């Protein structure tokens, strides 16, 4: 992911130093620089940066004022305040800045700030793309519609043309395919251990080796049920269980 960064700094030497440090990073794109607060607001509209490194003290419009105005935008950039005075740190975080850095800039401190930015942007992207959790699952069984709480589903198994959904207390038979069920439950912690099985990882209690890299999976509260884990699914399952 390329991170688009703008710099708003009226001091030439400080601006050039920051440009140099940011240019050392492969995932950073410097889209524009501004020398005062008014110019910054205009350039943000034109360039839509992900992040603005913003000097606290600037002519025409101070950095803190500009930050308040940027906060009202629908697509507001992350703000990193730049200052020679550490006492401005409190004001920076009151304005929900992602970080603040002191001048003269230290390469290690800039690295820490960029890592914080990467983590914040990655989290925001995940939240935007994550499927919404449905609180109820509607399942057609025979001539009735059953409402199921997804968190109570322990596992589901395909049997010929049907799928059996096993909850903590009941079992339901539906014509819904296992693939369709998997898609409906993708916001929850379910895993396809085998072409015929879908398991809620919250109910897994134990894995035992089987043969050729495959496993048997046992569920909490019922050691009689052994669910196969295919060799091709085993590695990903183990990774998921360690998260």
């Amino acid at each position: 992911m390329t991170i688009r960064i703008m710099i708003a700094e009226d001091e030439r030497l400080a601006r050039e130093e920051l440009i140099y440090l940011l240019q050392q990073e492969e995932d950073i794109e410097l889209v524009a620089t501004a020398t005062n607060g008014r110019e910054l607001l205009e350039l943000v509209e034109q360039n839509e940066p992900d992040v603005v490194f913003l000097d606290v003290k600037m002519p025409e419009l101070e950095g803190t004022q500009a930050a308040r105005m940027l906060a009202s935008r629908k697509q507001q950039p992350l703000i990193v305040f730049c200052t020679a005075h550490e006492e401005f740190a409190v004001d920076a975080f009151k304005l929900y800045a992602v970080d603040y850095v002191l001048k003269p800039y230290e390469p290690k401190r800039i690295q820490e700030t960029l890592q914080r930015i990467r983590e914040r942007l990655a989290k925001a992207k995940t939240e935007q793309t994550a499927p919404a959790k449905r609180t109820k699952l509607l399942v057609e069984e025979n001539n009735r519609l059953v409402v199921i709480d997804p968190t109570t589903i322990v596992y589901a198994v395909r049997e010929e043309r049907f799928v059996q959904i096993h909850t903590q207390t009941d079992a339901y038979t539906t014509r819904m395919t296992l693939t369709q069920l998997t898609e409906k439950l993708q916001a929850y912690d379910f895993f396809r251990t085998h072409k015929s099985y879908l398991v809620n990882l919250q109910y897994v209690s134990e894995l035992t080796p089987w043969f050729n890299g495959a496993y048997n999976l046992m569920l909490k509260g019922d050691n009689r049920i052994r669910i196969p884990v295919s060799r091709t699914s085993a590695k990903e399952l183990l990774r998921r269980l360690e998260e």
Side-chain angles (χ1 to χ4, degrees), residues 44-235:
V44 166
E45 293 296 328
Q46 297 171 16
N47 293 278
E48 297 288 342
D50 299 309
V51 185
V52 175
F53 278 74
L54 179 55
D55 187 15
V56 171
K57 292 292 184 181
M58 284 195 303
E60 296 193 31
L61 188 67
E62 288 195 346
T64 51
Q65 294 174 291
R68 289 188 179 93
M69 298 177 74
L70 291 176
S72 65
R73 298 180 78 251
K74 185 176 180 181
Q75 298 293 331
Q76 64 186 73
L78 298 179
I79 300 295
V80 176
F81 279 113
C82 307
T83 177
H85 307 284
E86 194 164 6
E87 60 267 26
F88 286 118
V90 175
D91 291 334
F93 287 112
K94 282 182 180 178
L95 291 168
Y96 302 103
V98 67
D99 206 351
Y100 79 98
V101 289
L102 293 175
K103 305 182 216 177
Y105 302 115
E106 296 181 2
K108 183 178 179 181
R109 185 68 181 88
I110 296 296
Q111 287 281 346
E112 292 172 356
T113 297
L114 292 175
Q115 186 57 34
R116 184 175 294 186
I117 289 168
R118 292 180 182 105
E119 291 171 359
R120 182 75 68 87
L121 291 175
K123 181 180 178 182
K125 186 176 181 179
T126 299
E127 290 173 350
Q128 290 173 358
T129 58
K133 280 193 173 183
R134 57 178 75 219
T135 57
K136 300 294 180 184
L137 177 68
L138 195 62
V139 174
E140 183 177 356
E141 184 184 49
N142 298 326
N143 293 320
R144 63 175 185 154
L145 293 172
V146 182
V147 179
I148 302 174
D149 180 348
T151 62
T152 67
I153 298 174
V154 180
Y155 73 98
V157 55
R158 184 179 66 191
E159 295 187 356
E160 297 181 351
R161 294 179 295 112
F162 301 94
V163 167
Q164 279 195 350
I165 299 174
H166 294 261
T167 69
Q168 293 172 310
T169 56
D170 297 289
Y172 305 94
T173 301
T174 176
R175 290 185 179 274
M176 184 188 308
T177 68
L178 202 59
T179 297
Q180 290 171 332
L181 180 61
T182 301
E183 290 175 354
K184 289 178 181 292
L185 296 173
Q186 62 180 311
Y188 290 87
D189 203 13
F190 284 84
F191 185 79
R192 193 83 172 260
T193 64
H194 182 277
K195 64 181 180 180
S196 298
Y197 284 86
L198 178 68
V199 176
N200 188 338
L201 298 185
Q202 297 301 314
Y203 292 95
V204 174
S205 66
E206 188 177 329
L207 285 171
T208 55
W210 195 17
F211 67 92
N212 287 340
Y215 287 82
N216 276 325
L217 178 152
M218 284 177 279
L219 301 168
K220 295 176 182 177
D222 195 341
N223 291 329
R224 296 170 301 171
I225 301 174
R226 283 174 167 75
I227 293 176
V229 179
S230 69
R231 180 173 56 84
T232 56
S233 300
K235 185 176 181 180

